[in-house]
Amino acid sequence: MTEERDPQLTSLFAAAEEKLEERDFVSAVMTGVEKQARWALVRRIGVAAALVLCAMILAAPAQDAVAAVMHWLMVPLIRFEQPLPSQILLPLNNVAAALFLALVVLRLLRRRLFP
Amino acid sequence: MGARARYSQVQEALLAGLAGTGDRAAFEELVRRRQSWLRKLMRRLCADPVLADDLAQQAFLQAWRNIGHLRRPGSFGPWLKRLAVTAWLQHLRKKDALEDADEIEPHHAAGENIDGLSADLDRALSRLSGPERLCVVLAYHEGMTHNEISELTGLPVGTVKSHIRRGTGRLKALLSPYSQSPEEAP
């Protein structure tokens, strides 16, 4: 179907064009914008306060959890009778090193399989 | 130099970009430039200047909330029109289904000039069904193509065409006193 428009209606719409004066419209919109900005600020303060409160409540348990995980990561995989080899191999002989190695291997495998 | 004077010569795309970064003065300039166009569009759709201004205001506030996500600042106008049409459709849905929006009574605020072609056109448009009115206004007032209207409203192109055909016929009949020429009309 053609996109033709009725010329009579087209001219009527064109003749009905009028510029609307700003009057209070722009200031009403900007008042709304200010109100939104104030609410956004109140929301941000509320979220920040909630985060601080959560941090205060959860700080000690979170610290304990981190300490426990760190301790677990440093557990030796192989136990030596003599202290010297145990001390020398400590940087490699632990759960963290094994996990790191596993990650490196997985990454290499992924690159090989999906180049 | 004030922000208003500073931004009065700036291109709209740049203003939209600045508004996206939270510059309220840039957004105010956008509102100043676009208010007449958007309010007129809403008046054609609503036939109620008060409601039209409310919906236009809603559209501008929605624009302010989301302008940071506007990918192409150069398309601020079409994007704003989409927001305004959506606000109007939501208003219709709130009032009831789109079909029940037929035959709305035009309302004019105190002090508004209720005579003249513009008011008669609004009155005639208010006699069309909601979807017919929307399609006719977008076609004749905004000069949009059928495909553009379909994309904006989500209506199938065939439906848009039939709404425009029916709406045009009804509108011509309602505005028959203007059939000579708009200037000579009552």
Side-chain angles (χ1 to χ4, degrees), chain A:
Chain A
M1 187 185 143
T2 172
E3 294 260 333
E4 267 178 27
R5 294 192 180 87
D6 184 89
Q8 195 187 329
L9 273 189
T10 306
S11 62
L12 277 177
F13 269 89
E17 276 293 301
E18 54 186 343
K19 180 159 171 55
L20 296 177
E21 291 307 314
E22 286 179 31
R23 289 194 193 160
D24 302 327
F25 184 82
V26 176
S27 59
V29 171
M30 293 318 291
T31 304
V33 166
E34 297 289 331
K35 212 180 277 180
Q36 277 187 8
R38 270 201 299 275
W39 271 111
L41 183 67
V42 168
R43 266 200 307 275
R44 263 182 233 141
I45 290 171
V47 168
L51 282 175
V52 168
L53 195 68
C54 284
M56 283 167 70
I57 293 169
L58 298 173
Q63 211 170 358
D64 289 348
V66 169
V69 169
M70 293 298 286
H71 181 74
W72 175 74
L73 286 173
M74 294 312 293
V75 168
L77 295 171
I78 303 159
R79 297 201 178 271
F80 294 93
E81 293 300 320
Q82 287 82 19
L84 189 64
S86 171
Q87 292 290 322
I88 291 169
L89 291 172
L90 187 64
L92 298 171
N93 183 27
N94 57 52
V95 175
L99 285 175
F100 179 72
L101 199 66
L103 276 175
V104 169
V105 170
L106 281 173
R107 200 167 163 221
L108 280 172
L109 275 173
R110 201 195 64 169
R111 280 190 181 175
R112 281 278 172 86
L113 293 171
F114 310 104

Side-chain angles (χ1 to χ4, degrees), chain B residues 142-169:
Chain B
E142 288 298 302
M144 292 172 75
T145 65
H146 296 164
N147 283 331
E148 287 169 340
I149 297 170
S150 166
E151 197 187 318
L152 178 67
T153 58
L155 294 169
V157 179
T159 311
V160 168
K161 286 174 184 173
S162 60
H163 281 324
I164 291 175
R165 196 170 46 238
R166 263 201 310 273
T168 301

Side-chain angles (χ1 to χ4, degrees), chain B residues 69-91:
Chain B
H69 304 299
L70 182 62
R71 280 191 218 146
R72 286 182 298 131
S75 61
F76 176 75
W79 179 67
L80 184 63
K81 190 194 309 184
R82 183 180 291 271
L83 293 178
V85 168
T86 306
W88 181 68
L89 290 173
Q90 279 173 350
H91 170 79

Side-chain angles (χ1 to χ4, degrees), chain B residues 8 18-19 22 45 54 56 62 84 88 110 136 148-149 159 184:
Chain B
S8 61
L18 287 168
L45 289 174
D54 276 354
Q62 181 84 6
W88 181 68
V136 167
E148 287 169 340
I149 297 170
T159 311
E184 294 167 18

